[in-house]
Amino acid sequence: MRSFDNTDRRILLALADDPRSTNVSLADRLGLSRNTVQARVAELERNGAFLSFERRISARVAGYPLAAFVNVHVQQQRLAEVVENLAAIPEIVSAHGLSGPSDLLLRVVCVDAEDLFRITGIIQSTEGVDRAETSLDMGELIPYRLRPLLTRDA
């Protein structure tokens, strides 16, 4: 794998500004050849630089205006089984393994407080889950971003 360089950063920043850019428009804007842009974008894709389009879909607009974070404590020897069972719950939109006092951090979306109560009940009744604590997501204050890193490292 080739190392990530300033040309890659410029391409990614241009795509962050306009994700629908074509290779031709990127080449024009960045002063690069179309073949260079095409090859670089393909390599960035192969190396996992781009997240799924799904991350750009608003849960609120899709009918799930309430979000919460659930810290889950699991029986360690059953972690893989717990994760597999939790993955079957569609309202869990992400899960992260943690070090520290809890084992998993789940982000859950739901239609209202009653729906959240139902979902957390399912989570807590999952075999291998010892306990869970829920916190409402009061709003995203710093959205997911990489621009500051890409521009700092340029």
Side-chain angles (χ1 to χ4, degrees), residues 89 91 108-110 115-124:
I89 302 170
E91 294 88 354
V108 173
V109 296
C110 44
D115 195 32
L116 177 59
F117 186 73
R118 176 188 65 80
I119 296 162
T120 56
I122 295 169
I123 292 167
Q124 291 174 336

Side-chain angles (χ1 to χ4, degrees), residues 64-79:
Y64 297 90
L66 186 61
F69 293 98
V70 182
N71 283 290
V72 181
H73 305 263
V74 303
Q75 298 164 11
Q76 287 301 304
Q77 68 277 16
R78 300 182 82 177
L79 179 62

Side-chain angles (χ1 to χ4, degrees), residues 47 75 85 116 128 134:
N47 292 328
Q75 298 164 11
N85 290 330
L116 177 59
T134 302

